């Protein structure tokens, strides 16, 4: 079984995340989407809400499983017998941070990190910018799944 993890906060999931998850699902037998439980970071959606949303929007892929983790990602990988992490790189600005993390993760555990270039049509997306746009009345249609847009409008403008 060739398994890989796509980790993140997913607060909320965007079409950029789905681009990477969907493409990873065509390369691997199973993709585990792992939501970080981070009590230090204020989030808009609870971990359970994010998991539920991810399950709905990744249903079509068939081989994607959604889970949560806390602590070090490499400990989760070891525990779940996942040998590699898949990360999307949007631009050069992502690279320094991601390289450092990939090297540290490999050094700590031997878990590999594989980088995938995000599709240019979604390379400018981030969950923070998406929340900001909705908060101030803009439309994020086509940038996030319809369900996520509805949830954002309800949470931020409701
Ligand atoms: O979507 P995000 O917030 O950019 O995802 C970041 C994430 C969850 C992938 C990263 O913060 C992470 O792996 N956190 C778990 C703690 C950890 O393992 N840190 C790396 C130490 S080198």
């Amino acid at each position: 079984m060739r398994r890989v993890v796509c980790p993140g906060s997913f607060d909320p999931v965007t079409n950029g995340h789905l681009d990477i998850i969907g493409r990873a699902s065509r390369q691997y037998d199973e993709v585990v989407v792992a939501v970080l439980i981070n009590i230090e970071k204020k989030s808009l959606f609870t971990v359970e809400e994010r998991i539920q949303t991810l399950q709905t929007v990744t249903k079509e892929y068939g081989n994607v499983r959604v889970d949560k983790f806390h602590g070090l990602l490499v400990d989760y990988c070891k525990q779940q017998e996942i040998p590699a992490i898949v990360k999307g790189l949007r631009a050069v600005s992502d690279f320094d941070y991601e390289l450092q993390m990939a090297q540290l993760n490999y050094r700590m555990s031997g878990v590999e990190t594989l980088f995938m270039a995000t599709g240019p049509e979604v390379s400018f997306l981030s969950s923070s910018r998406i929340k900001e746009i909705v908060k101030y009345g803009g439309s994020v249609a086509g940038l996030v799944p319809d369900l996520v847009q509805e949830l954002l409008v309800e949470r931020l403008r409701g």
Side-chain angles (χ1 to χ4, degrees):
M1 165 82 85
R2 293 169 66 249
R3 193 181 284 139
V4 76
V5 65
C6 282
S9 302
F10 305 104
D11 187 43
V13 59
T14 70
N15 286 353
H17 295 125
L18 289 177
D19 172 47
I20 299 298
I21 295 168
R23 285 160 60 201
S25 80
R26 293 198 284 277
Q27 300 295 327
Y28 289 87
D29 299 319
E30 185 179 53
V31 175
V32 180
V33 176
V35 180
L36 174 67
I37 303 167
N38 187 353
I39 48 167
E40 278 144 42
K41 201 167 150 188
K42 200 172 153 358
S43 59
L44 182 63
F45 296 101
T46 67
V47 170
E48 297 311 322
E49 286 171 333
R50 283 178 264 161
I51 288 176
Q52 208 171 23
T53 306
L54 278 161
Q55 280 168 341
T56 305
V57 300
T58 59
K59 220 167 26 204
E60 68 190 83
Y61 300 126
N63 61 342
V64 173
R65 178 160 62 87
V66 185
D67 196 7
K68 59 188 168 187
F69 76 102
H70 59 85
L72 290 177
L73 175 60
V74 292
D75 287 343
Y76 174 78
C77 291
K78 289 279 159 200
Q79 182 205 326
Q80 298 282 317
E81 298 181 0
I82 303 174
I85 301 161
V86 165
K87 287 288 193 76
L89 280 184
R90 291 169 296 190
V92 182
S93 50
D94 281 343
F95 188 71
D96 280 352
Y97 170 76
E98 291 295 348
L99 179 68
Q100 183 188 33
M101 204 143 58
Q103 289 173 325
L104 280 165
N105 282 337
Y106 184 75
R107 175 66 185 264
M108 284 192 286
S109 65
V111 172
E112 295 283 2
T113 299
L114 307 164
F115 292 117
M116 206 177 258
T118 52
E121 67 285 358
V122 288
S123 67
F124 49 83
L125 288 181
S126 76
S127 299
S128 313
R129 294 286 87 82
I130 290 290
K131 284 182 276 197
E132 196 170 57
I133 292 168
V134 175
K135 185 175 168 189
Y136 295 111
S139 168
V140 291
L143 306 180
V144 296
D146 291 346
L147 168 67
V148 173
Q149 184 172 16
E150 286 161 24
L151 293 170
L152 280 167
V153 169
E154 191 183 289
R155 185 68 46 102
L156 290 167
R157 296 191 215 152

